[in-house]
Structures are given as structure tokens and as C-alpha cells.
Amino acid sequence: MSSSPLGRLGGADMLKTRIIPYTLHFKRPAGTSRGVYHDHKIWYVVAADTSRPERWGIGECAPLFDLSCDYDENYEDRLSYFCQKLEQDGKLDIETLRPYPSILFGLETAMRQLEQGCFRLWDTPFARGEKGIPINGLIWMGDYDYMLEQIESKLEQGFHCVKLKIGAINFDQELDLLRYIRKHYDPDKITLRVDANGAFSPDDAPEKLKRLAELDLHSIEQPIRAGQWDDMSRLTEITPLPIALDEELIGVNHPEEKKRLLETIKPQYIILKPTLHGGIIGATEWIELARSMDIGWWITSALESNIGLNAIAQWCSTYNNPLPQGLGTGGLYTNNIEMPLFIQDDCLWIVNSEYFPVNSSFLNL
């Protein structure tokens, strides 16, 4: 049974954890083809070294109720069990945690901060506040006017890559929105991505992909719903538009199964979300497999608060991936946890993370 590369923390009785439930409220309902989010229930986990009270780490467990493979009505009880096990063992049991990616992500990032002694989880130019990470501007589903308003706002902000969630309104109207951007911005000026969240059927997907490809798009995420490996494999073979897998990766938690999925479907890209795709450790496995098969990839947050976003962004920055990443969701909430993350032009930046305030007042959530 394998364990985390994080070292054991002294004696087991020196590690204590605390669970803090929290509900994030969206500034405006966030629409996808699966439905609309109004709020997001999450759990923070604080890991503390009782021998050094000034040292602690915080991680975020933020499952999506309609999407995560590890969410059910017993989620908090299961999280409590794994926290107790971590206290007893002093280290993470990765193999046992594999089926619970959002819990694994929260615990491994809490432990990493505890061991680092500050919010600089990885020492990179981004974490030092010296370099930004290019990101895409995200356009949420809504009626035509609302989506157009978002598009114009993102372009005015200076984004060079824009991603539209599609599949909720009339397909021709969505094509009109994409044509609007292309009328004003050539592909060398603005990169366009779309995310269908599985909204197309296997029968109508080829024609829709053909029409989308005429607009010089970069890629489409998850054109058909997950779990249809044979249908998705046929699409990736004939598509005129590169296909990126997202929901398809959820629940595929063991390396052998990951390899089988990629060998079967042969996607052009995969998109990694640690909360959904195996924590930092599991998402790293996906990247290593993708690299070995010449499959492109990028990293995206999954509606975490700034606590989770900070961890994902710092991990992302260790790769220096030149593609725009999907890390622009930190401004969605009315009650996000305040952290020095900010967007300037089309990049996510962070104030030097070594000097984040690390004190007990931070935990008054």
C-alpha cells in the first residue's frame, strides 16, 4: 500500500485536524448544461502540529454535488474518518484515498502547507509573485444577451483566450456568439474554446463539430456525456475540431484504468482538475500519461474558493505549460476567502506567497 511523498509528521499524537464547513454563494447563478449553481457547500481541513502551534496548513474539500465521484450524503462523516486516520498515522494513505479525490486534494494540500510552513506550497516564479499564469476568460451559460455581455467584458479586460460554455441555448444562437467574436478578432488575436459539458448526442455531434470547426476554434471540451468510450473514440478519430476530455476522467482513479481510457479514446487534450481527478497526486499521473502519449493538457480549477485555487495555481505553475489555463473562477463568490490572488489582463497573479498572513484570525471563517 503506497503512501504520500509527504513525510510523516513526528509522532501521530502531534498532528491534529479540524473540519470547517462553509457555503460559498455565487454572485450570479452559474449555468452549465447540467443545471445552475446558486451556492457551493465546501469543507476546509486544518492540520496543525501541536508541538509548534504557529505551524498549520489548510486544505479545501470542494466536491460538486452533481459531478464529483466521491460526493454523497455521508461526505462529512467520511471526511471526518479520513482526518482521524491522518491523525493516527501521521501520513496520507494514497491508495485508500484514491476513490475520494476531493478529500485527497484537501488533505494533501493541508499537509503540504503544514510542512512548508507558509502558503508558498511550491517555490516557483508565480508563487514568488514574479510571473503570472496565462488563463482563459470563462463565459457562463445564459441567454444570448447575458453571454454577449460577458464576451465583451472579457475582451475589454484583455483576455486572449475565451472559453464559452455551450449546450443550454439554441445551437445556432451559440454559433452567432462565436461568429461575433470571429468577426472582430482573428484566430491569431483571440483563441476560442468551447465546453459542451456532454450536451451533444453521439448522432448529432459530428455535424455540430464540423460547424464549430468552421470558426477556427482551439478545442471543444466533452462534446458527449462521459462513459461512452466507443462513441468518444470514434469522434476523436474523425473530428475536425480537437476534443478535450474533462468529465470523462472523473471516477477513473487508478493508473491502469487511466492508461486504458487514454489508449481507447485517444483524445487530443485532457483537462485536469485536482478536486475531480485524483487530487494533486492523481492529476500528476494523468499529466505523465498524457505526455507519454503526446496528448495535450491544461489545468483548471473546479469552483473552489481562493484556498483551493491558490494550491491548484501554485502546482500548475511548476509545469510552465504555455497554454492558457482555466484558473479564473476566483471572483465568482460574494463570500470568498480573501487571499492576494488577482487577475491582470489575461494572467492570474499572486502576491509573494511566502508572506501571506498565517495566524489564527485567518481561520475565523
Side-chain angles (χ1 to χ4, degrees):
M1 191 174 283
S2 66
S3 61
S4 166
L6 298 174
R8 183 183 175 90
L9 180 65
D13 60 346
M14 294 168 58
L15 177 62
K16 297 299 178 185
T17 61
R18 176 188 172 200
I19 298 171
I20 305 172
Y22 194 65
T23 300
L24 295 159
H25 301 293
F26 284 88
K27 294 177 181 177
R28 179 165 179 162
T32 75
S33 60
R34 293 183 305 273
V36 178
Y37 291 106
H38 297 274
D39 50 45
H40 186 194
K41 177 69 177 291
I42 64 173
W43 290 263
Y44 295 116
V45 176
V46 179
D49 181 349
T50 58
S51 68
R52 294 178 293 175
E54 75 282 358
R55 291 181 73 97
W56 54 270
I58 187 169
E60 179 175 349
C61 302
L64 296 171
F65 74 92
D66 60 346
L67 193 57
S68 296
C69 67
D70 58 351
Y71 181 79
D72 60 27
E73 60 184 11
N74 300 315
Y75 185 88
E76 189 165 343
D77 290 338
R78 186 178 297 114
L79 174 59
S80 178
Y81 165 78
F82 282 118
C83 285
Q84 293 172 20
K85 184 171 173 51
L86 176 59
E87 290 180 355
Q88 293 167 4
D89 298 345
K91 62 181 179 180
L92 296 177
D93 182 344
I94 300 304
E95 292 308 311
T96 302
L97 282 164
R98 277 189 183 276
Y100 312 103
S102 65
I103 293 177
L104 174 56
F105 172 68
L107 293 180
E108 66 181 337
T109 51
M111 289 294 289
R112 185 163 188 96
Q113 183 186 326
L114 173 61
E115 295 199 347
Q116 294 296 106
C118 66
F119 276 97
R120 182 183 292 175
L121 306 184
W122 285 270
D123 187 15
T124 65
F126 170 78
R128 295 193 297 270
E130 300 167 0
K131 182 179 180 181
I133 299 174
I135 61 174
N136 59 232
L138 181 59
I139 309 301
W140 288 93
M141 287 180 176
D143 60 31
Y144 182 92
D145 291 338
Y146 173 54
M147 293 181 73
L148 179 59
E149 174 188 325
Q150 293 180 81
I151 290 169
E152 292 177 335
S153 174
K154 295 299 182 186
L155 296 178
E156 288 174 2
Q157 290 174 49
F159 281 93
H160 294 91
C161 180
V162 176
K163 185 179 95 170
L164 282 75
K165 287 186 171 290
I166 63 173
I169 65 175
N170 179 274
F171 183 64
D172 287 329
Q173 285 188 305
E174 290 169 339
L175 289 175
D176 285 343
L177 288 167
L178 293 165
R179 289 190 190 102
Y180 171 84
I181 302 175
R182 275 290 165 255
K183 180 179 178 181
H184 294 85
Y185 299 94
D186 293 332
D188 60 338
K189 299 292 184 182
I190 295 293
T191 297
L192 288 177
R193 295 170 173 167
V194 293
D195 181 2
N197 287 127
F200 302 164
S201 73
D203 290 335
D204 67 20
E207 178 61 25
K208 288 185 174 180
L209 293 177
K210 179 181 177 182
R211 296 181 69 186
L212 288 166
E214 293 170 354
L215 296 167
D216 294 306
L217 305 189
H218 172 268
S219 57
I220 181 170
E221 297 180 31
Q222 205 68 43
I224 63 174
R225 62 177 174 80
Q228 304 175 93
W229 288 19
D230 290 340
D231 289 323
M232 187 70 85
S233 177
R234 283 191 287 271
L235 276 183
T236 61
E237 186 175 359
I238 66 170
T239 183
L241 176 62
I243 290 174
L245 302 185
D246 178 356
E247 289 93 336
E248 199 73 65
L249 311 183
I250 296 173
V252 183
N253 298 313
H254 293 274
E256 298 81 7
E257 190 72 355
K258 294 175 182 180
K259 186 171 185 289
R260 189 169 77 85
L261 183 150
L262 295 183
E263 288 178 340
T264 300
I265 298 179
K266 298 181 177 66
Q268 284 76 32
Y269 294 99
I270 59 173
I271 300 168
L272 286 314
K273 300 175 179 177
T275 287
L276 297 174
H277 301 144
I280 298 295
I281 290 172
T284 299
E285 291 173 348
W286 280 114
I287 290 174
E288 291 173 352
L289 279 170
R291 284 174 157 176
S292 72
M293 300 180 190
D294 293 322
I295 295 170
W297 57 272
W298 66 88
I299 294 166
T300 299
S301 53
L303 301 181
E304 296 86 0
S305 76
N306 281 337
I307 299 294
L309 178 60
N310 169 63
I312 294 169
Q314 289 199 42
W315 167 66
C316 174
S317 71
T318 65
Y319 286 101
N320 294 311
N321 186 335
L323 293 175
Q325 309 296 296
L327 303 173
T329 59
L332 294 174
Y333 301 112
T334 62
N335 59 336
N336 206 338
I337 304 303
E338 185 174 347
M339 294 188 76
L341 292 158
F342 63 96
I343 295 174
Q344 183 173 308
D345 296 325
D346 64 347
C347 288
L348 179 70
W349 290 80
I350 194 170
V351 175
N352 192 331
S353 54
E354 185 176 6
Y355 303 108
F356 283 7
V358 181
N359 54 57
S360 59
S361 65
F362 184 85
L363 304 181
N364 292 330
L365 302 174

